[in-house]
């Protein structure tokens, strides 16, 4: 692992130790340390794992985005019902007048790409996991197994670049944003959804926050740090949404409850009792309205 000496966002050397925590989701052994930039507030793993180490943290047989059901997606009625019950919170993807060309970075098995393909988009995915990429490609998607840098897409190639809960998993955000700008058309849109380290639940639970996510979450952003990083790379930030769900609240409660055990967050009853989800979802909706939700979604465009 590499020891980082200056902030990847603002280049400040005024770094401090932040939190040291265990892996509460996948059972990786040991404790993992983070640092915080005292100047801009960016939080990141320090030391930072390389790509080989990162890949080893993911359980290929059980990691959720590798095995989401591509064929059996929810009906429109069920989506509306779950939204009404505060169980599902759809992402705030930008609207386009016509279908174009999209790349989904960290797409897992391509679950989200299937809807774009049905709508007439030319779809591409980028996914480091061989297991997930193979599943997507077997279902007729075009997923490159590796990183965006390694995919070597042409300049000005995409109308839309999407990274939903994958940008916090990478160890090279500046290089990735530079590549995103290169392959995006002028005026093209970028969507990045990540956990919000300045949200209310993060502040309350601290190292037991569900979305701290060590060691698979290498960075934890807030609206300011992610906006600054996008602006630095030549993007125009157009909109910031707060879109936390029941998972951050129930997950944090579960992690805290199991804090003195080796049980994983997924083993707990907070996730298994169905009544908890709409109750926690209603609380999450209030936090979103107060702009202190667990997750943010940023829409930006290439200048």
């Amino acid at each position: 692992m590499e020891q980082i000496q200056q902030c990847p966002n603002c280049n400040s050397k005024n770094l401090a130790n932040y939190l040291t925590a265990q892996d509460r989701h996948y059972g990786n052994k040991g404790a993992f340390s983070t640092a915080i930039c005292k100047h801009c507030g960016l939080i990141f793993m320090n030391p930072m794992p390389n790509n080989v180490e990162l890949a080893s943290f993911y359980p290929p047989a059980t990691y959720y985005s590798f095995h989401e059901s591509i064929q059996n997606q929810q009906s429109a009625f069920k989506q509306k019902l779950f939204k009404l019950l505060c169980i599902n919170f759809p992402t705030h993807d930008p609207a386009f007048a016509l279908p174009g060309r999209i790349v989904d970075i960290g797409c897992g098995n391509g679950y989200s790409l299937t809807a774009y393909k049905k709508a007439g988009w030319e779809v591409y995915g980028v996914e480091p996991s061989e297991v997930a990429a193979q599943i997507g490609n077997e279902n007729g998607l075009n997923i490159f197994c590796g990183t965006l840098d390694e995919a070597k897409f042409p300049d000005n190639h995409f109308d839309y670049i999407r990274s939903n809960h994958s940008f916090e998993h990478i160890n090279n955000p500046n290089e990735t944003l530079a590549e995103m700008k290169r392959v995006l058309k002028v005026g093209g849109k970028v969507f990045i959804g990540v956990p919000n380290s300045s949200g209310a639940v993060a502040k309350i639970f601290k190292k037991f926050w569900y979305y701290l996510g060590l060691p698979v979450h290498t960075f934890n952003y807030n609206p300011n740090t992610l906006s600054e990083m996008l602006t630095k790379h030549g993007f125009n930030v157009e909109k910031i949404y707060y879109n936390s769900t029941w998972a951050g609240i129930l997950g944090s409660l579960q992690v805290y409850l199991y804090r003195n055990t080796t049980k994983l967050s997924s083993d707990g009853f907070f996730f298994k009792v169905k009544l908890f989800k709409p109750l926690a979802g209603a609380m999450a909706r209030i936090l979103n309205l107060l702009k202190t939700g667990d997750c943010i979604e940023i829409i930006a465009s290439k200048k």
Side-chain angles (χ1 to χ4, degrees):
M1 291 190 180
E2 177 188 359
Q3 194 72 30
I4 295 177
Q5 303 295 335
Q6 62 185 50
C7 175
N9 178 42
C10 68
N11 297 321
S12 171
K13 294 184 178 180
N14 189 10
L15 307 180
N17 294 330
Y18 185 56
L19 295 175
T20 298
Q22 298 172 342
D23 178 6
R24 303 288 178 170
H25 303 311
Y26 308 112
N28 289 291
K29 303 299 182 183
F32 302 91
S33 300
T34 60
I36 186 169
C37 175
K38 303 284 280 186
H39 181 258
C40 74
L42 183 68
I43 298 167
F44 50 92
M45 285 183 69
N46 206 16
M48 179 67 65
N50 61 35
N51 285 337
V52 174
E53 291 165 325
L54 268 178
S56 71
F57 295 146
Y58 294 83
T62 58
Y63 190 70
Y64 77 99
S65 73
F66 297 172
H67 300 284
E68 289 177 297
S69 175
I70 294 178
Q71 301 300 333
N72 299 316
Q73 297 196 32
Q74 291 177 347
S75 66
F77 172 77
K78 198 170 185 179
Q79 290 177 19
K80 291 179 180 178
L81 177 63
F82 280 14
K83 182 180 179 181
L84 181 65
L85 294 175
C86 298
I87 296 175
N88 277 6
F89 288 68
T91 53
H92 297 87
D93 291 76
F96 292 84
L98 295 170
R101 186 181 292 131
I102 179 177
V103 61
D104 193 351
I105 301 171
C107 65
N109 63 13
Y111 175 85
S112 297
L113 283 173
T114 55
Y116 283 93
K117 184 176 181 179
K118 289 178 181 178
W121 284 72
E122 183 181 341
V123 300
Y124 296 81
V126 174
E127 171 54 52
S129 166
E130 292 182 9
V131 172
Q134 181 178 348
I135 292 172
N137 287 327
E138 288 174 351
N139 281 275
L141 300 174
N142 186 2
I143 299 177
F144 174 83
C145 184
T147 66
L148 182 62
D149 289 347
E150 293 168 343
K152 305 297 182 184
F153 292 118
D155 293 353
N156 307 307
H157 194 56
F158 294 103
D159 302 282
Y160 185 31
I161 297 178
R162 193 174 191 273
S163 175
N164 188 39
H165 285 272
S166 60
F167 196 73
E168 71 272 25
H169 291 254
I170 62 175
N171 57 13
N172 60 341
N174 285 302
E175 291 80 359
T176 300
L177 286 175
E179 186 69 359
M180 289 167 71
K181 183 185 178 186
R182 184 185 70 79
V183 302
L184 186 67
K185 296 178 182 178
V186 175
K189 302 288 187 181
V190 169
F191 171 101
I192 299 180
V194 293
N196 175 20
S197 64
S198 63
V201 179
K203 291 179 179 178
I204 291 170
F205 285 93
K206 298 182 171 60
K207 71 176 182 178
F208 304 115
W209 179 41
Y210 181 75
Y211 285 116
L212 180 63
L214 300 176
V216 298
H217 287 186
T218 50
F219 283 81
N220 271 290
Y221 301 93
N222 62 41
N224 291 333
T225 54
L226 186 52
S227 295
E228 289 168 2
M229 197 173 283
L230 281 160
T231 301
K232 179 176 69 174
H233 285 277
F235 293 97
N236 178 45
V237 174
E238 297 182 349
K239 187 70 177 180
I240 300 176
Y241 296 96
Y242 292 79
N243 197 21
S244 57
T245 71
W246 53 266
I249 296 172
L250 296 185
S252 298
L253 287 169
Q254 195 64 70
V255 168
Y256 183 77
L257 184 66
Y258 283 167
R259 66 192 182 280
N260 295 322
T261 75
T262 58
K263 293 182 178 181
L264 302 180
S265 59
S266 57
D267 296 333
F269 72 96
F270 278 113
F271 282 169
K272 295 176 181 178
V273 178
K274 293 182 178 180
L275 178 62
F276 288 147
K277 290 184 179 180
L279 293 175
M283 294 174 62
R285 181 166 289 176
I286 293 171
L287 293 178
N288 291 336
L289 292 172
L290 295 174
K291 297 186 177 182
T292 185
D294 252 335
C295 301
I296 54 172
E297 296 169 356
I298 294 187
I299 307 297
S301 59
K302 178 177 174 178
K303 296 179 181 178

